[in-house]
Amino acid sequence: ITFIIKGQEKTVDADPGQTVLEAAQKNGIPMESACGGNGFCLTCKCHVRKGADQLSAPNEREEAMGVTGEERLGCQTKVNGDVTVELE
Ligand code: FES
């Protein structure tokens, strides 16, 4: 996963099936998770810049939170391949 944070890129490894949030936390990326990764707070929201087809499909929590289009919740989105996401 390549994270874009305030214009700076940082690429980290994620295990297949790991969430964007789990990979961020494991690698010291400052993705917030006020609700503890349960899909209720939006602090882990990110924007997919590349590789949307390598992510799990949006789930019910994301739909309930109104996350649409290139927006995803890092805690609900699993990674299957190379992606680039930008943090807010
Ligand atoms: Fe709260 Fe993802 S950590 S919605």
Side-chain angles (χ1 to χ4, degrees):
I1 306 179
T2 298
F3 289 94
I4 304 173
I5 308 150
K6 297 188 169 83
Q8 305 266 36
E9 291 192 8
K10 182 164 184 198
T11 301
V12 305
D13 286 329
D15 297 327
Q18 205 169 31
T19 66
V20 174
L21 177 65
E22 287 166 347
Q25 290 179 331
K26 191 173 154 198
N27 290 284
I29 303 290
M31 177 173 260
E32 296 192 29
S33 56
C35 74
N38 292 308
F40 287 97
C41 72
L42 295 178
T43 57
C44 67
K45 190 168 79 175
C46 56
H47 298 264
V48 180
R49 299 303 184 210
K50 281 187 213 159
D53 57 341
Q54 299 297 325
L55 297 171
S56 58
N59 69 14
E60 288 173 11
R61 279 303 326 143
E62 293 181 280
E63 285 171 18
M65 295 300 281
V67 176
T68 56
E70 66 178 20
E71 296 176 345
R72 299 299 304 267
L73 292 181
C75 67
Q76 303 297 307
T77 306
K78 294 185 177 160
V79 185
N80 300 309
D82 291 348
V83 298
T84 299
V85 299
E86 184 163 3
L87 304 196
E88 299 206 309

